[in-house]
Amino acid sequence: MAAATAATKFVERPVSKTTVDVAKQVLEPMSFTCGGPSMPNRFMLAPLTNSQSGDDGIMSEEEFVWLTKRAVGGHGATMTCASHVQAIGQGFPGQLGCWSDDHIPGLTRLAAEIKKHNSVAIVQLHHAGMRTPKELIGGKQPVSPSEDEETQARALSTAEVKQLRDDFIQGAIRAQKAGFDGVELHGAHGYIICAFMSPEYNKRTDEYGPGSHDKFSPEARAGRM
């Protein structure tokens, strides 16, 4: 029996000028309004859950190689995974830390290699808050703006909120000392910054309460101490 064959017909369609223009823009440099170096193109490695570093948050060789290969491959900006600013804010196993000066040597090596390949180096600062798995923090209670029954997180005291704010700032300072070009604050997925902005999770009655009275996030961004 003869095998049946089917010919595939390709139809050429004209490419719109808009599509061409967008494609060209992807390869164009982009500057940040806050200053710093420009990206040589619009390709940016978003923060991922790498789970490649040590239990102490110190960068592993595996994570170093994985991240720097993105810069070698031509990304205009290379961002780290979410990097926690407090040990009690760890969100996943093998998370890269930014909560101790012990992390600075690994971060310094990483930033230098990323920038060597003309990629903007950025750290994403993070605290998992009520989503911190207890087994990653020695069985301690995770923390949150307010007590949360579902996750059994405890509420932070006002002094602890101020310390958390300062630790976000210190994380940014460590990133700067390590040679990174900038930082990004992780404010999604119910993590601590997101929780402060949510009236569902932030029921505080002090100066760090929800809505117009929430000043935690602006203070962390502004670097006010």
Side-chain angles (χ1 to χ4, degrees):
M1 181 182 293
T5 59
T8 302
K9 185 178 180 180
F10 293 95
V11 178
E12 288 191 15
R13 300 184 184 277
V15 179
S16 70
K17 182 178 183 300
T18 300
T19 301
V20 173
D21 290 343
V22 170
K24 287 180 178 179
Q25 288 176 6
V26 169
L27 300 176
E28 292 177 355
M30 185 177 76
S31 299
F32 296 94
T33 57
C34 57
S38 297
M39 291 171 53
N41 57 58
R42 310 293 177 95
F43 289 100
M44 178 182 290
L45 176 69
L48 302 171
T49 308
N50 295 46
S51 295
Q52 292 173 307
S53 284
D55 293 339
D56 54 6
I58 291 177
M59 171 164 292
S60 67
E61 185 66 18
E62 183 182 10
E63 186 151 16
F64 172 82
V65 170
W66 194 93
L67 286 169
T68 55
K69 279 188 177 295
R70 306 305 83 117
V72 172
H75 282 79
T78 302
M79 302 180 71
T80 69
C81 70
S83 182
H84 50 317
V85 299
Q86 289 184 337
I88 200 171
Q90 184 174 354
F92 53 88
Q95 186 172 5
L96 177 65
C98 203
W99 48 267
S100 166
D101 288 348
D102 292 340
H103 301 132
I104 293 178
L107 292 170
T108 300
R109 180 182 173 223
L110 177 63
E113 187 66 17
I114 289 173
K115 293 164 72 172
K116 174 182 173 182
H117 299 285
N118 197 30
S119 183
V120 176
I122 302 172
V123 175
Q124 187 188 64
L125 300 178
H126 168 256
H127 189 295
M130 61 185 172
R131 295 192 60 193
T132 299
K134 284 186 177 181
E135 61 270 21
L136 295 182
I137 54 174
K140 297 177 182 176
Q141 272 187 290
V143 296
S144 183
S146 302
E147 182 179 351
D148 183 71
E149 184 177 352
E150 181 180 353
T151 60
Q152 298 183 353
R154 67 172 180 83
L156 292 163
S157 69
T158 301
E160 287 176 319
V161 174
K162 293 181 184 295
Q163 183 61 58
L164 175 60
R165 172 204 63 191
D166 293 349
D167 286 340
F168 266 101
I169 296 167
Q170 287 301 318
I173 291 172
R174 289 189 185 95
Q176 184 180 44
K177 286 181 178 179
F180 281 86
D181 298 308
V183 297
E184 177 186 79
L185 301 185
H186 195 327
H189 309 326
Y191 294 133
I192 202 121
I193 291 179
C194 180
F196 267 102
M197 295 188 290
S198 169
E200 181 179 353
Y201 296 113
N202 184 354
K203 304 182 186 301
R204 303 180 68 90
T205 57
D206 64 2
E207 59 190 299
Y208 293 100
S212 61
H213 302 292
D214 170 29
K215 57 184 237 175
F216 173 78
S217 303
E219 284 186 1
R221 290 196 307 269
R224 189 191 310 166
M225 299 184 69

